[in-house]
Amino acid sequence: ERAFAGECVSGYVAMSAVSKLRANLAAADMKVASFMLLNFASSTGIVVSNKIVMDKLGFKFATTLTFVHFTMTFLMLLFASVVGVFERKKLPIEKVAKLAAGNMGFVVLTNLSL
């Protein structure tokens, strides 16, 4: 007898993709999900703002604009850590190198449209 998706397999009912998604969403931390949504929205907003500044206002110094964004991000994160939004942690470079490379790639790729 053949078992199909959703039928009994080894005494257990196989979960459909929808029920797996519901289980994952129910277990998700809403605070983390909110921060992920905020990150996506702010990143998209920065790219759109860059496009407006460069196309409509004629600012042609993309590297300078990126430097300003990174400087402001650093200062705001420093401020947030001082007021207790999160705790600063020192990590070895080996542990964060892949994450840093991914973030640099994200910045480069999202700004290719400019």
Side-chain angles (χ1 to χ4, degrees):
E1 218 175 84
R2 293 176 51 190
F4 294 98
E7 290 187 5
C8 187
V9 177
S10 300
Y12 296 98
V13 175
M15 294 177 71
S16 69
V18 173
S19 60
K20 285 182 183 179
L21 178 61
R22 283 187 187 138
N24 286 338
L25 289 175
D29 183 359
M30 289 309 293
K31 186 176 179 181
V32 172
S34 299
F35 285 138
M36 289 174 68
L37 182 61
L38 178 63
N39 180 48
F40 176 78
S42 64
S43 297
T44 304
I46 288 171
V47 171
V48 170
S49 299
N50 286 349
K51 192 156 186 70
I52 291 169
V53 167
M54 294 181 82
D55 289 347
K56 304 274 190 229
L57 301 178
F59 189 82
K60 298 296 179 195
F61 305 101
T63 304
T64 303
L65 196 56
T66 302
F67 173 76
V68 169
H69 287 305
F70 278 122
T71 302
M72 292 307 298
T73 299
F74 170 75
L75 292 173
M76 293 304 293
L77 286 172
L78 188 61
F79 173 75
S81 70
V82 168
V83 297
V85 174
F86 61 87
E87 178 185 341
R88 273 181 84 179
K89 296 180 182 177
K90 294 197 181 245
L91 298 171
I93 191 75
E94 305 85 37
K95 295 228 180 221
V96 295
K98 288 180 184 176
L99 179 62
N103 284 328
M104 286 187 289
F106 175 74
V107 169
V108 170
L109 294 173
T110 54
N111 283 292
L112 282 178
S113 65
L114 299 176

